[in-house]
Each structure stands twice: as structure tokens, then as C-alpha cells.
Amino acid sequence: MTEHWTEQMKNQVNTLEELTKYINVSDGEREAIETLKTKWGTSPYFASLMDKNDPNCPIRRQVIPSLEEQTNTYGMDNYLVWKENRATEEIRPDSIARQYHDRIAFTVVQVCGIYCRHCFRKELVVDQDLQLNFDVEEGLAWIAEHPEIRDVLITGGDPLLLSDEKLAYLIGRLREMPHIQMIRIGSRLPIVLPQRVTEGLKKAIGGYHRVPVWINTQCNHPKEITEKTAQAIYELMSCGINVGNQAVLLKGINDDVDTFRELHQKLLRTRIRPYYVFYCEPAPGIDHFRTPVEKGAELIRDGLRGHTTGLAQPMYVLATKIGKIPLMPDYYITDKNQKEYTVRNYKGETTTIPNVPE
Ligand SMILES: *Cc1c(COP(=O)(O)O)cnc(C)c1O
Ligand code: SF4
């Protein structure tokens, strides 16, 4: 197997023939690959984590197209235009998605290390029906002219697929802007292509500076984490980059208590701090990955809060066009009045604490 990340990208597993070197392809998978017009593929490294014989393997389900993608009963058409407020009055470059006053998402690239079947940006990244113009210079100029922006979230596609030189340039330009206080990079590569974390990358985006860089990755199942992941995360941290996780709640992949708890414990063991769990968004063609909205809160109630380390607790959120809406469990307060609150813990035990009137 090829070790350098650019070799991994050149050798993407994205044909039936390549895939058969890793797994026994099922009839359904074969038919979906042959008939659906969709982009799919994975790094050879991530493909090597697939279960050879189980089509329900969480890695296979995230990577290999499924005939179920043709069904769209609950998804919203033109989802991304709605979600990213692209049809609103504020004039912004295509690369800038805005839901908040002080921070924006800046899309810099349209390619990924794997093409997640559940991607909420599927129309743009996977099916490529939506054509946008991602001009980095135009985006930088817009950010420079907006002093209220203090936090830039660089996203894609997968921004860490840019070369070290381009990343160093991008981070350097943002760091020169006096109003920018922090930079975040959303990237699945620490999980799907840990080989990307090289000395060159560390130089390009790490190091001590007034403006820190944070990475949020996406890991949805404990099987996605290996020794290589742990080493890559350690390397990122060694140059000052904190790594968080944004999981997506996926039916049949991580929506049971045991898997959900193991995922969050294993992330912490790998030095990745769980940040968000997202409700799987109503993008078209991903109905089969979606659970009822309450599910994420139930998993936190039954599997995480109180049941394991506090640092392992993500915030469960619904991402919408008006921002992220927290949907945490609501069993904690059983009664309240002027004098006291009655609160409940994870075991169902209650206690009271005195309230302070205003
Ligand atoms: C998710 C998102 C952010 C960042 O939200 P946080 O809650 O600060 O992590 C900012 N802008 C857009 C458009 C987003 O989708
Ligand atoms: S890596 Fe992110 S942007 Fe790319 S396909 Fe997966 S979820 Fe979508």
C-alpha cells in the first residue's frame, strides 16, 4: 500500500474493479455502482478498514453508493441553497455561507478524501448538480472587508486536500487580518487519510501565533479509528492544533447506545474532543440514514451523560439555515418553583437545590 498522501489520492478506490480488491462486493452495491450517476470513492487506506464480507459494515455504508439513494420521500430539493442562505439579499461570494454575525463558513475546494453517502452537501460535492464558483481570492477580499467576522471556518469539500503551499498562503492571509481571532478547518482527512498529516502540513498550518487553528474532523463509528489516526492527531496537537469531532447520527451505523458510547470514548482515547453530533440533515437522497430527531438526545441520555467521562459528551444539534439548534435531553429538571429546583440524574435519582429569586 502507498504511504504518501498524494499517492493515496492518485490511487483512490472509485471503480468496481478496484473495490473488489478489498471486499466481496454485494449484488446491491454492484448495481448501485453501475447504475447511479454519482461521484463515489475513498482513499485506499480507508477502504482497507472495510469488512470484506459484511455489506452493513459502517465503512462500506458510508463509502459505497446504495440503491436507496434514489428514494427521496423526506429530503428537501435544493437543500443547500436553502441551508446556506444563498438566496438571501446580502451579497456574498459563492464561497461564503453565512448564518451568524461573527463567523462564516468559507468553502475553498470541492473534492474530498471520501465521498460520504450521507453528505449534506451532496448536491454540491457528491452529485455535483449545484455549480458554485469557489474563488479563494474573492472570499479573502470579502472577509477582509467585514471586520465583524472574527472566526473563519474553512470548509469544502475537504480543505486539507489543498497543497501545503496553498494552505500556508490561506492561513497566512487570514492571520494578517486584524479582526480574525481564530481559524477552524473542517476536514475528514485525519480520519480517512491520516497520511495527510505530514511535517509540511504542520509547518503550513501549525505553530504559535496570535490566531490559533482548530481542526474539526468527522468520525462516525469506532471502526474508523486506528493507530494511524492516533499518531496523526498527536502530530497535529504537537504543533498547537486542537482536534474536535463532528459526528453525524446515522441509522444503522451509530444509532445504538453501545456503538454511540464506544465512539465517544474511543475519540477521547485518540485525543479527539467530541464537539457536535449532528442530526442527519434533510438533503435529498439520504432518507435511509435518518432517524427521528429525538434519537440523538435519547442516545446522550441513555449512553453518555453520567454514564461516561464528561469530556466525552458532544452537543447534539440540528443544523438549519438559521443556525445550529441544540437538542439535548430534557429530563434534568423535574420541578421548579420560586424556592427550589428538583433535578434528576442519569439513574433517575432526584435531589433539590434552593433557588435564588431575582
Ligand atoms: C456550522 C456553521 C458555523 C459554525 O458554527 P459553530 O456553532 O460556531 O461551530 C458557522 N457558519 C456556518 C454557515 C455554519 O454552518
Ligand atoms: S468529507 Fe464532508 S464534504 Fe466530503 S463528502 Fe464527506 S461529509 Fe461531504
Side-chain angles (χ1 to χ4, degrees):
M1 179 175 299
T2 46
E3 274 308 310
H4 197 262
W5 75 274
T6 51
E7 290 294 308
Q8 285 268 332
M9 286 307 292
K10 261 186 228 137
N11 293 303
Q12 277 258 314
V13 179
N14 54 15
T15 62
L16 199 49
E17 195 191 350
E18 275 299 311
L19 188 62
T20 53
K21 292 182 189 157
Y22 294 85
I23 58 165
N24 294 317
V25 180
S26 74
D27 293 342
E29 288 168 332
R30 182 181 304 271
E31 195 183 336
I33 289 169
E34 283 171 348
T35 57
L36 300 189
K37 276 201 194 66
T38 181
K39 188 164 181 177
W40 73 280
T42 170
S43 62
Y45 160 80
F46 204 58
S48 76
L49 306 181
M50 290 178 180
D51 186 298
K52 213 168 164 20
N53 296 312
D54 180 11
N56 285 321
C57 160
I59 308 232
R60 280 169 71 156
R61 287 203 52 214
Q62 290 182 72
V63 167
I64 304 172
S66 156
L67 292 171
E68 290 175 297
E69 293 172 34
Q70 298 169 108
T71 308
N72 185 34
T73 311
Y74 305 101
M76 293 166 60
D77 289 328
N78 287 321
Y79 179 68
L80 216 51
V81 169
W82 175 83
K83 162 79 190 300
E84 297 186 343
N85 293 314
R86 293 186 179 278
T88 55
E89 276 161 24
E90 186 183 46
I91 298 180
R92 275 179 267 120
D94 278 0
S95 59
I96 308 279
R98 187 173 202 184
Q99 294 165 350
Y100 299 104
H101 178 69
D102 73 335
R103 56 206 192 281
I104 45 111
F106 182 20
T107 310
V108 296
V109 54
Q110 207 170 340
V111 288
C112 292
I114 78 166
Y115 292 90
C116 309
R117 304 325 301 167
H118 57 271
C119 178
F120 78 90
R121 316 189 109 193
K122 199 167 193 178
E123 299 151 287
L124 177 73
V125 176
V126 181
D127 297 338
Q128 309 211 333
D129 298 333
L130 182 65
Q131 296 296 324
L132 296 174
N133 174 28
F134 298 127
D135 183 332
V136 170
E137 289 305 323
E138 190 191 21
L140 286 169
W142 185 92
I143 296 166
E145 285 161 14
H146 287 76
E148 75 277 18
I149 303 297
R150 37 167 293 286
D151 169 9
V152 173
L153 167 54
I154 302 174
T155 181
D158 202 310
L160 291 187
L161 287 177
L162 292 177
S163 67
D164 295 344
E165 293 71 28
K166 285 197 175 131
L167 282 166
Y169 172 76
L170 183 58
I171 300 290
R173 285 286 307 275
L174 289 169
R175 279 179 161 170
E176 278 166 13
M177 299 181 195
H179 55 288
I180 299 303
Q181 299 173 1
M182 56 184 285
I183 298 168
R184 293 189 276 176
I185 299 176
S187 169
R188 258 205 107 157
L189 294 198
I191 300 299
V192 303
L193 188 60
Q195 292 84 348
R196 176 65 186 100
V197 181
T198 57
E199 287 305 312
L201 181 74
K202 286 167 64 179
K203 276 212 192 71
I205 66 174
Y208 184 79
H209 192 278
R210 171 185 69 86
V211 180
V213 173
W214 298 67
I215 288 182
N216 273 320
T217 193
Q218 184 195 142
C219 176
N220 302 319
H221 191 279
K223 227 184 135 173
E224 296 171 43
I225 298 172
T226 68
E227 182 68 29
K228 271 211 162 52
T229 328
Q231 282 164 2
I233 303 305
Y234 182 80
E235 289 302 317
L236 288 170
M237 296 185 81
S238 75
C239 66
I241 298 172
N242 277 293
V243 186
N245 189 56
Q246 309 192 140
V248 183
L249 180 60
L250 298 171
K251 191 160 135 190
I253 291 181
N254 59 16
D255 67 338
D256 65 284
V257 167
D258 290 341
T259 306
F260 197 74
R261 190 193 301 112
E262 172 60 11
L263 169 64
H264 288 93
Q265 290 176 340
K266 197 167 178 187
L267 284 166
L268 265 196
R269 299 207 293 277
T270 315
R271 300 181 173 79
I272 302 175
R273 171 74 159 96
Y275 176 47
Y276 281 144
V277 168
F278 285 106
Y279 178 63
C280 185
E281 298 181 37
I286 58 175
D287 287 355
H288 55 298
F289 284 115
R290 287 162 57 219
T291 62
V293 173
E294 286 82 4
K295 190 72 191 182
E298 288 167 15
L299 289 166
I300 289 173
R301 180 192 68 198
D302 299 340
L304 292 189
R305 175 53 66 191
H307 302 278
T308 193
T309 311
L311 278 167
Q313 316 288 324
M315 170 83 73
Y316 177 48
V317 293
L318 178 61
T320 74
K321 66 176 293 185
I322 54 169
K324 296 178 179 72
I325 314 291
L327 297 170
M328 297 298 275
D330 60 0
Y331 62 86
Y332 313 106
I333 299 174
T334 62
D335 197 18
K336 61 181 177 185
N337 58 40
Q338 286 280 338
K339 283 208 189 104
E340 63 183 16
Y341 269 66
T342 307
V343 289
R344 178 157 59 198
N345 76 358
Y346 71 105
K347 288 186 196 161
E349 297 162 343
T350 57
T351 187
T352 57
I353 58 150
N355 190 17
V356 180
E358 280 214 74

